[in-house]
Amino acid sequence: MRHDNSTESQRVTAIRGLILYLGEKTEELIKDYQARDDRRRPQRPQQVWPVPYKRLDRRPDVDPYCQALFPFCPSGDPDGRMPVMRDSDLVSVFRLQTPVWEFRYGDVLGKFHIMHDAIGFGSAKTGRNFTMEWYELFQLGNCTFPHERAGVSAPFWCNQGAACFYDEIDDVHWKQNGSLEKIGEISGEMFNEMARWVQEDNETGVYYETWTVKSDAGANATTWFESYDCSQFVHRTYKKLLDMGADLSSQTPTSYTKIYLYSGEPLHLGDDSIFQQSSTRDLATDIKKFYHSFRSHQSVVEVIESLLEALEKMVLEKTFYFYYNSEYWKLPMKYPYIKINYEEIPLP
C-alpha cells in the first residue's frame, strides 16, 4: 500500500511539473484531451425525424404460421399483375372510400371515422372498370401487434401489406357508406406507366404501419414516425400520376383516417437481438409483457383485463414499445396519448 501511494504521488508530481513547464492551464489541457478523445470515438449518425421507412430489395416469403381471417385479394391476380391499356385509351380515375370492414359490419366503424381508401379506374375503349387498393395480408391486428409463438424468443410479426387490383368497381360497397368520386382522366399510356410503378412499389414497400407518432397534437409538432397504410398508398399513387402530368381534382373534402400516438423523443432499443442477450433480459421481458396485453384469441374478460393493463402502461408508466423497420423503440408517452383523427389532406 505504501509503495502504491508513493507511485501515485510521483505521478501527480510529474504531471504538475509538466504543466508548469509547458505553461498551460490544467483546464485547457483537459479540454484538449477530451476533444481529441471524442474525435477518436466512432460518432453515431444524427437521428433523422421522421425515421425513413425502410424499403426492401424484394418482398420476403410469407411464413405459413401467418394466416388471414379473410383471404387477401380473393378476386385479384395472385401476383398483383395489372392489365395493359392501349396507349390511346382514356382512363377515368375515381377516389374511393368506405368504412373498414364495411362488407361485414356496414357503417359501424364509419361512425368512428375509421375508413379505408382505394382508387378506381374506368377504360373508355373497353368499358371495363377496375379497383386498386393496398391493405394488410393478415388483417390489421396482425400488422399492429405480434404473436407469441412457441419456441421463438422474440415477438413474432405477421406484418405485410400489398396492392390488390381486380375487375369492377362495387358501386354499392363504396357509395352506400362512403364515397365514389371521379377526380380526373389519364391516357392509357400513363396508366401503363403507373402500373409498372405500382409493381415496383409493391415489391419493395411491404410492411404495414398503423401508427403515426408525433411529439404533440399541435400544428408545429415533430413527426417521429409516419404511418404506411392504405391512405398512404393512395397518396403515393396520386403523386405519381401528377408527376406524369395528370390533372386531378376533387369537389369534396379529401379526408383520411390517421391514428396517432403522442410521445417525447423516441429511444432506439435495437432489433431481435434484444431477446437473445443476457444483458437485455429485463428489457426483453418488459417488451414481451407489454405485447402480451394485445395477444390474439382472448376471451371477452381477458380483452378487458388486457386493455386495462395496456392503459396502465401507456398512461401511468408512460411507455409504449413501438416496432418500426424491424427494430424496437421506446416511446415516452404524452397526453393525449392516442387519438383517431379524420382529417382533410388535399390532393398532392
Side-chain angles (χ1 to χ4, degrees):
M1 181 68 70
R2 189 177 304 158
H3 173 75
D4 290 342
N5 287 339
S6 176
T7 302
E8 183 63 26
S9 177
Q10 291 173 8
R11 184 180 292 116
V12 170
T13 301
I15 291 172
R16 285 176 176 171
L18 181 61
I19 290 170
L20 289 171
Y21 175 77
L22 294 173
E24 295 281 357
K25 292 182 178 179
T26 307
E27 294 82 0
E28 295 300 323
L29 282 174
I30 291 172
K31 282 183 182 178
D32 182 60
Y33 172 78
Q34 289 176 333
R36 294 186 184 198
D37 188 50
D38 289 342
R39 285 196 296 269
R40 284 195 297 268
R41 293 177 185 171
Q43 297 297 309
R44 182 176 176 177
Q46 186 175 3
Q47 182 63 60
V48 176
W49 305 110
V51 173
Y53 178 85
K54 184 179 180 181
R55 289 186 172 272
L56 306 181
D57 293 332
R58 58 177 293 275
R59 179 175 290 274
D61 295 332
V62 172
D63 192 300
Y65 177 87
C66 300
Q67 297 292 323
L69 184 61
F70 303 105
F72 175 78
C73 201
S75 58
D77 185 275
D79 296 319
R81 289 172 296 201
M82 299 166 66
V84 177
M85 303 284 190
R86 296 180 187 176
D87 286 354
S88 58
D89 201 349
L90 187 64
V91 181
S92 297
V93 181
F94 300 93
R95 185 174 74 89
L96 309 177
Q97 188 176 75
T98 195
V100 169
W101 282 27
E102 189 271 347
F103 67 94
R104 188 174 180 88
Y105 299 116
D107 192 36
V108 171
L109 293 177
K111 297 183 187 305
F112 299 95
H113 298 303
I114 301 177
M115 308 296 283
H116 173 65
D117 301 278
I119 307 177
F121 300 97
S123 165
K125 284 192 178 293
T126 66
R128 295 175 66 190
N129 294 323
F130 306 93
T131 300
M132 183 173 72
E133 50 190 332
W134 195 94
Y135 65 101
E136 322 87 12
L137 266 64
F138 313 108
Q139 279 75 63
L140 183 60
N142 284 318
C143 290
T144 309
F145 299 109
H147 287 258
E148 298 173 332
R149 188 173 179 182
V152 179
S153 60
F156 186 82
W157 293 84
C158 291
N159 178 11
Q160 284 196 41
C164 174
F165 192 93
Y166 52 93
D167 279 311
E168 302 297 336
I169 297 175
D170 186 343
D171 289 14
V172 174
H173 172 68
W174 299 103
K175 279 184 175 180
Q176 191 170 34
N177 297 303
S179 59
L180 190 164
E181 178 193 14
K182 182 176 176 178
I183 58 173
E185 295 176 338
I186 59 175
S187 67
E189 183 180 14
M190 292 171 69
F191 176 90
N192 294 333
E193 183 180 344
M194 179 209 69
R196 289 188 290 270
W197 170 83
V198 168
Q199 292 291 322
E200 180 183 350
D201 183 83
N202 197 42
E203 186 70 9
T204 60
V206 305
Y207 295 123
Y208 190 100
E209 181 50 59
T210 304
W211 313 101
T212 297
V213 187
K214 303 186 78 169
S215 60
D216 56 71
N220 297 318
T222 299
T223 300
W224 308 120
F225 301 93
E226 291 277 13
S227 60
Y228 196 88
D229 54 17
C230 62
S231 65
Q232 293 281 18
F233 172 74
V234 166
H235 268 265
R236 289 197 306 279
T237 306
Y238 289 159
K239 186 177 186 305
K240 181 63 179 178
L241 292 173
L242 290 167
D243 290 344
M244 291 189 295
D247 183 18
L248 305 178
S249 62
S250 174
Q251 302 302 311
T252 58
T254 51
S255 298
Y256 301 92
T257 302
K258 302 282 284 186
I259 306 179
Y260 290 105
L261 294 176
Y262 298 103
S263 83
E265 184 167 326
L267 174 65
H268 179 256
L269 301 176
D271 57 17
D272 280 355
S273 62
I274 293 170
F275 307 93
Q276 299 157 5
Q277 299 172 358
S278 58
S279 61
T280 52
R281 184 181 294 114
D282 290 344
L283 173 61
T285 300
D286 203 40
I287 292 174
K288 288 195 282 189
K289 182 180 178 182
F290 172 78
Y291 283 127
H292 181 74
S293 299
F294 302 99
R295 67 194 182 278
S296 57
H297 309 301
Q298 298 185 68
S299 67
V300 174
V301 174
E302 287 174 328
V303 167
I304 295 172
E305 291 175 346
S306 293
L307 286 175
L308 291 174
E309 290 172 3
L311 285 172
E312 179 181 359
K313 193 72 174 177
M314 286 190 284
V315 177
L316 299 182
E317 298 182 31
K318 301 189 184 308
T319 296
F320 189 102
Y321 288 113
F322 183 67
Y323 190 66
Y324 197 84
N325 289 343
S326 301
E327 295 187 312
Y328 291 91
W329 298 74
K330 184 177 181 178
L331 305 182
M333 299 297 284
K334 295 164 58 177
Y335 181 84
Y337 308 107
I338 182 172
K339 192 175 183 181
I340 298 176
N341 276 5
Y342 186 63
E343 56 191 50
E344 184 174 358
I345 302 175
L347 290 171

